Amino acid sequence: MHDIRFTAEDILGAQLALAEENYRLLKEKGVHAISVMGAIGSGKTSLIERIIDRAKPCGIVVATIAADSAGDDDHRRFLARGAHSVNLNTEDDCHLDAHRISHTLESLPLHEIDVLFVENVGNLICPADFPLGTDVEMIVISVTEGDDMVRKHPKIFAQTDLIVINKIDLASAVGVDPQTLVRDYAKVNPHGRAILTDARHNRGIDELLRALGIECTNTQW
Amino acid sequence: MHEYSVVSELVALLLPRVGGIDGRVVSVHLRKGELRILSDASLVAAFEIVTSGTPLEGATLEIETVTTSVRCGACGYAGLAKHLEDESFHFAIPILACPRCGAEVEVTSGRELSIESVRVASLDPDESQDASGEEGGCRSSGAA
């Protein structure tokens, strides 16, 4: 019996290298990229729609990569708002990866785009291990998912730049205190930032834009 | 669910390395950082399925969890990350902030996912094997 030792070669090293390539390409083209994760129905698409609406009068060009296991519902919603969009069906895959994103970037006019949202599939476990090459990673939670969401997925929240707690207009109706989510997030991620929104009624969107580093200098905004 | 795709990558990396050895792989030692969101039980189950019908069939997957370490640019701390020991979370959660001054940190370990070694049993029990010179960056540690 004997051991063969390996140099510390990362199994997902190829994905990491592709994520770094994506990051370099997006920087070179001046694109600010934001990865959006969260459960199905948390309001990821609605929040991006609100941001598209706010950014457009400022001359900020927004694009999206709309990922779902099937269908093109989100993609059509983004197109209807006048955004560049690519639909990306992952079929049976539970997450996006840097390889898929690198191919998708080829079909976007990156030189025209200021901000790119990559909307991941509605899953809060698998995407954590697959960096895409974005500047910011954010998770959207709806209060309707319960005030124990952070406690149920602590590792991904511990590694995510910011969270959006959405549908706060429904908080009292479902008996959830959004501050419980804010406190739990602060425990696992002392440097993370939590933003409270009600995308349906356009509340909290300005604060979210500032947190994402999307600045509008147009006074009409 | 992504354990299957991770194990498929692992096996794809391993097979060319073990194809030429004179012996049978009995175990594979994987180092997994604790920040990885991968279930050990699912990795082991996926390994059994993915290796079926390959030269790795029958080998066991041994998983070593690597604790998170951080480096602080503000105060110079370098060492283990603090872990949140809050009963409501049930597990100790690594905290990516400096245990000494609270500033943001760089993660220096805890995200690994690498093959450390494979253990090979000789087909001829009397024959001592030396796998040095294996292609693909492997080096032998000699008979165990």
Side-chain angles (χ1 to χ4, degrees):
Chain A
M1 197 89 79
H2 71 285
D3 291 347
I4 300 174
R5 296 202 170 273
F6 284 73
T7 51
E9 184 175 357
D10 200 294
I11 292 163
L12 296 178
Q15 285 290 339
L16 184 60
L18 280 169
E20 286 168 356
E21 267 181 41
N22 290 344
Y23 181 81
R24 277 195 296 274
L25 174 66
L26 290 163
K27 285 298 104 186
E28 184 189 310
K29 301 290 183 185
V31 179
H32 184 55
I34 297 152
S35 171
V36 186
M37 295 171 280
I40 294 168
S42 56
K44 300 184 293 295
T45 307
S46 297
L47 281 164
I48 297 169
E49 284 181 314
R50 296 293 94 75
I51 290 171
I52 294 167
D53 292 348
R54 301 294 280 230
K56 208 169 180 180
C58 300
I60 297 171
V61 178
V62 176
T64 65
I65 295 174
D68 267 308
S69 56
D72 64 353
D73 296 76
D74 297 349
H75 169 64
R76 284 188 282 108
R77 284 168 64 177
F78 295 137
L79 288 178
R81 285 253 169 353
H84 295 281
S85 183
V86 179
N87 193 52
L88 181 51
N89 286 144
T90 58
E91 298 180 8
D92 295 331
D93 262 346
C94 48
H95 58 273
L96 285 177
D97 62 35
H99 180 245
R100 282 179 191 269
I101 295 300
S102 69
H103 284 299
T104 309
L105 291 177
E106 290 168 7
S107 54
L108 281 168
L110 294 180
H111 58 286
E112 294 175 19
I113 295 166
D114 299 308
V115 179
L116 171 67
F117 285 94
V118 182
E119 185 181 335
N120 219 311
V121 296
N123 178 335
L124 273 184
I125 296 178
C126 310
D129 283 325
F130 294 87
L132 304 177
T134 55
D135 297 276
V136 181
E137 290 184 342
M138 83 176 197
I139 295 176
V140 181
I141 310 169
S142 159
V143 293
T144 57
E145 294 166 48
D147 61 11
D148 47 9
M149 274 301 284
V150 175
R151 291 196 298 277
K152 285 179 173 173
H153 300 85
K155 272 196 194 172
I156 193 167
F157 283 102
Q159 303 177 65
T160 301
D161 303 307
L162 78 104
I163 64 167
V164 178
I165 301 167
N166 192 31
K167 305 189 187 179
I168 53 167
D169 53 318
L170 301 179
S172 60
V174 294
V176 166
D177 179 2
Q179 291 307 319
T180 303
L181 291 159
V182 173
R183 279 193 297 271
D184 282 347
Y185 181 52
K187 280 184 195 171
V188 299
N189 192 336
H191 293 286
R193 189 159 173 204
I195 311 289
L196 273 58
T197 62
D198 164 10
R200 193 175 175 85
H201 303 104
N202 247 322
R203 290 168 60 200
I205 306 301
D206 288 347
E207 194 186 351
L208 174 58
L209 283 164
R210 282 192 291 273
L212 291 173
I214 304 172
E215 301 287 339
C216 183
T217 50
N218 187 333
T219 51
Q220 289 180 333
W221 191 16
Chain B
M1 282 305 294
H2 61 304
E3 282 82 0
Y4 281 86
S5 49
V6 165
V7 167
S8 298
E9 296 276 350
L10 181 156
V11 171
L13 270 175
L14 265 181
L15 283 176
R17 311 282 178 88
V18 300
I21 61 169
D22 185 17
R24 183 176 64 84
V25 176
V26 292
S27 63
V28 174
H29 182 173
L30 177 73
R31 280 167 57 86
K32 186 194 81 169
E34 66 174 336
L35 291 166
R36 290 282 181 188
I37 305 182
L38 288 164
S39 150
D40 286 3
S42 296
L43 286 170
V44 168
F47 186 77
E48 191 179 329
I49 292 164
V50 174
T51 55
S52 175
T54 77
L56 291 166
E57 182 170 347
T60 56
L61 183 66
E62 294 168 355
I63 301 167
E64 173 194 354
T65 300
V66 182
T67 310
T68 306
S69 294
V70 296
R71 183 184 298 127
C72 177
C75 77
Y77 174 86
L80 293 177
K82 183 182 161 190
H83 284 66
L84 176 69
E85 306 275 358
D86 184 320
E87 282 185 7
S88 64
F89 286 85
H90 289 208
F91 302 100
I93 309 299
I95 301 301
L96 303 185
C98 178
R100 194 156 65 191
C101 74
E104 290 190 60
V105 288
E106 175 196 350
V107 174
T108 52
S109 75
R111 292 200 168 115
E112 296 84 349
L113 191 63
S114 57
I115 305 161
E116 179 76 4
S117 61
V118 296
R119 179 153 290 183
V120 179
S122 171
L123 295 174
D124 177 354
D126 297 329
E127 192 176 319
S128 171
Q129 290 196 28
D130 180 1
S132 59
E134 286 287 336
E135 289 182 1
C138 308
R139 63 187 171 82
S140 172
S141 62

